[in-house]
Amino acid sequence: MGKIKILTEKVANQIAAGETIESTASIIKELIENSIDAKASQIDIILEQNGLNKITIKDNGIGMDPEDIHCCFFRHATSKIESLSDLSTITSYGFRGEAISAIASVCKMTITSRSASSQFAIKISLMGEKLINTSRAGRSIGTTVDIESLFFNTPVRLKFLKDSSSELKKIEDIIKQFSLANHNIHYRLFLNEYLKLNLIPIKSIKELQPRIIDCLNKDLTNHLFYFEKKTSNFLLNGFLSSPYISRKDSLGLLTYVNNRFIKSSILIQSIKIAYDTLMQNSRYPLGVLFFYIQPEYIDINIHPQKAQIKFLHTDDIQKDLILSIKSFLSNTPWSYNLNKESNSTLKNNLINISPVLKNKRERLFPITESHNALLKQEKEKYCDLKFIGQIFNTFLILEKSHTLILIDQHAAHERINFERLNMQKNKIIPSRRLLFPQIITVSRVDLLTLLEKIKIFSEYGFELEPFGASQVCIKSIPIELSDSQAKTLILNTLSDLHTENWPTSLISFSNKIISTIACHASIKAGQHLKTIEVKSLLSQLDAINYSTHCPHGRPVTYAISSQTIAKWFSRT
Ligand SMILES: Nc1ncnc2c1ncn2[C@@H]1O[C@H](COP(=O)(O)OP(=O)(O)OP(=O)(O)O)[C@@H](O)[C@H]1O
Ligand SMILES: [Mg+2]
């Protein structure tokens, strides 16, 4: 007897629901998306017992006509697309017509909605997708969705929800994520009666800074910089941190594609590679990046929760992204004075958010010394500053009004040499022939990749030859690299190619070789310099970009304010 059975629609729906609706947080995400799609300017999220008892989402959007309310909970019921081709122009969050039906299949759901064309609201109640009640109700234009008895028919899922405090954190994060992209909306989160989050509308993206600092890390105060860039393919704007604030993972980078919060590896890798020579130990900066592209160049329909995206022309987009971010970084905005206007905007917003929070923030996170001392200054030319002398034959001391500046002579020269080499159009990397060619073993996939890129390796001074089915013979290497450095670089580049694509791997490969050459060719620590040599070094430093860090990401300068020095002597 045959074993195959066709699942009933009810069971199939419950299984499908599992893909989108796995927790209270995912329900709230879907319902906020619906409210935003309905052009709401006010969204209230009300949780009883962190959402375990009841979730209510109330908006003042366009609402639904009575006939729409009666079909919005059917599977594949949507007002957002009519055919698949509409996906190439879609700007709404929803398009599958699945969320309401998926949520309804695992709880008791009540929807009350009124559109502008109706004198009254319609209220419908469903239990596990079954309509149990319909009535008229009073409410202003907009929609309210109440969720109760969550996961009553999927007890296993209910069990996973019991840690409601971590779920609450997720819910708060989701609301904050929406409030960054759709910042013209007023969001409130109530826990029972208590107002837990009150995110007021913000008019311009440039005023988002305090909210981002609040979401990401308080240490970002004075270290977060706005930028925007328009190319023929995309528009990019957002805030990125100075290299002095970083994390070992990418969790401090919030990326959005067409206003949708997406952890996009293309965006994150591009940011990382643009910062490559400004940070040590492959760390990540923090920030929020909004990327806008014509919908036809992306595919959003690849993940049940629409949390991933596929780009067409990935390589071209990534190259442009890296260039855009690098050009922002080349201005080293963190070494300029913070202009007065942005300071006052910051202040006003802090007051708007909450006076208590403002005091707390100032108390907990006073602006620290070191690099911030330099932040407060206008970017000046180092060669115009008073040169005091060299200490330990390693550091140069300069004085500018109220600030003492220390410069690491080796790091400074390394950056100068790195930029000079990088500027050369056709970089000629001198190579040396190994007396005894080295054999390295690689996987079959790595060997194929290497064969594909062998010409590029040779442009950077490597002469490589396949040796059997899984080995490579290294015949020549760049003159400045040791045998083991060269071997590691080849292996690392091949392994990078598994996680990153070629544009990013090539840049980090090239950066590594050039920074090693730059390092070997630079003035060493412990080397005495004549004043004339110092002056020349400083004017070369003034002439290049990215002058605040050596190509390995170590800082070139360190500033100490006169106030700090006075404090050392109890002079305040
Ligand atoms: N808050 C709301 N205000 C107005 N209309 C709504 C609201 N929520 C849902 N709707 C209507 O109900 C329809 C179904 O919603 P649902 O979330 O199931 O699907 P969707 O948003 O179209 O697509 P997706 O499943 O991708 O979210 C929507 O297309 C919309 O017309
Ligand atoms: Mg939806």
Side-chain angles (χ1 to χ4, degrees), residues 387 389-398 405-417 518-519 521-531 533-538 540-541 547 549-551 554-558:
F387 172 57
Q390 187 192 28
I391 52 167
F392 317 131
N393 283 341
T394 297
F395 303 106
L396 311 175
I397 302 189
L398 309 179
I405 295 171
L406 291 166
I407 294 185
D408 180 325
Q409 62 190 40
H410 174 68
H413 200 206
E414 249 188 316
R415 174 55 79 177
I416 294 166
N417 283 333
C519 175
S522 297
I523 301 163
K524 300 280 172 290
Q527 190 173 332
H528 176 72
L529 296 184
K530 295 189 199 130
T531 305
E533 290 170 326
V534 171
K535 293 274 174 196
S536 152
L537 184 78
L538 295 178
Q540 289 180 62
L541 195 59
S547 59
H549 291 74
C550 84
R554 287 193 300 108
V556 166
T557 59
Y558 194 91

Side-chain angles (χ1 to χ4, degrees), residues 30-31 33-34 37 80 93-95 97-100 306:
E30 291 295 335
L31 295 179
E33 286 190 355
N34 280 349
D37 285 346
K80 298 169 193 173
Y93 283 113
F95 55 81
E98 277 182 342
I100 297 273
K306 311 178 191 99

